[in-house]
Amino acid sequence: MPLSIQLLNKANAREITGWHYDPPYDFYNLNPNEIEQNIKYFLAPRNKFYSIFEEPREFVGYCSFGEDGQVPGGDYSMPGLDIGMGIRPNLTGQGRGHYYVAAVLDFAQRMFAPSIVRVTIALFNQRAIQVWTGVEFHTVDTFEY
Ligand SMILES: CC(C)(COP(=O)(O)OP(=O)(O)OC[C@H]1O[C@@H](n2cnc3c(N)ncnc32)[C@H](O)[C@@H]1OP(=O)(O)O)[C@@H](O)C(=O)NCCC(=O)NCCS
């Protein structure tokens, strides 16, 4: 099924705040006491959050472009487009990561035409590292957070 990517709307932003990943990925779970703050953050234009839909209208994940994808302590001195993303918890771990990532990269290229694209991934998250390595990203730096 084809994927489409569109600006995140409020209903989908709210949905994300209720997502629960199982350990060890619970690292990505949001604080249930900060729902409204998180929705505000997702919808702020400067954070550039987009929805990923599996056609016709199934909301399967989100991606962000820019500062949201940066982690304190990282060296972001080289200009580049930082990508963040999250797939709906019940769709993860099914071998479809490369498919989602390829769609996000394709969209990023068309929308922002970056010369460099970058992701920052927690070292424990070998699943994410594997999927990005599979689309030919390679490690340029590691740091402690
Ligand atoms: C990161 C993410 C996009 C990956 O998508 P996914 O559909 O869950 O990933 P897949 O099931 O395709 O797994 C990706 C690869 O990791 C491998 N893998 C799965 N669990 C693994 C583990 N514990 N250790 C090493 N490799 C693992 C899979 O076998 C697969 O390898 P392959 O592509 O060679 O077949 C998705 O899990 C996600 O959104 N997670 C929550 C947010 C997050 O992790 N963000 C990190 C920054 S992108």
Side-chain angles (χ1 to χ4, degrees):
M1 284 293 175
L3 297 174
S4 72
I5 297 181
Q6 299 165 26
L7 262 184
L8 187 69
N9 65 33
K10 195 167 185 178
N12 293 144
R14 187 171 292 282
E15 193 176 324
I16 296 167
T17 65
W19 286 357
H20 294 285
Y21 294 99
D22 291 334
Y25 306 107
D26 53 345
F27 172 83
Y28 296 102
N29 292 348
L30 298 172
N31 185 338
N33 298 320
E34 294 176 356
I35 292 176
E36 297 308 321
Q37 294 96 309
N38 281 318
I39 292 173
K40 205 169 163 193
Y41 177 84
F42 288 140
L43 296 178
R46 69 184 296 271
N47 294 327
K48 300 189 179 70
F49 270 81
Y50 288 78
S51 302
I52 307 171
F53 290 102
E54 183 122 40
E55 296 293 355
R57 286 299 296 165
E58 188 187 356
F59 177 54
V60 297
Y62 67 86
C63 49
S64 70
F65 302 98
E67 270 178 45
D68 169 69
Q70 298 184 354
V71 175
D75 176 2
Y76 299 99
S77 53
M78 187 180 287
L81 181 69
D82 292 286
I83 295 185
M85 69 184 284
I87 296 301
R88 209 174 72 210
N90 68 328
L91 297 174
T92 60
Q94 297 180 22
R96 305 183 78 214
H98 64 283
Y99 166 66
Y100 300 122
V101 165
V104 170
L105 281 173
D106 178 62
F107 178 79
Q109 206 58 50
R110 284 186 284 114
M111 190 76 177
F112 304 103
S115 48
I116 290 177
V117 181
R118 188 166 48 207
V119 286
T120 303
I121 302 171
L123 202 52
F124 84 86
N125 192 348
Q126 289 298 313
R127 182 171 71 184
I129 291 171
Q130 176 75 21
V131 76
W132 285 95
T133 305
V135 292
E136 305 197 349
F137 274 52
H138 61 275
T139 304
V140 293
D141 191 19
T142 57
F143 61 93
E144 291 210 17
Y145 169 47

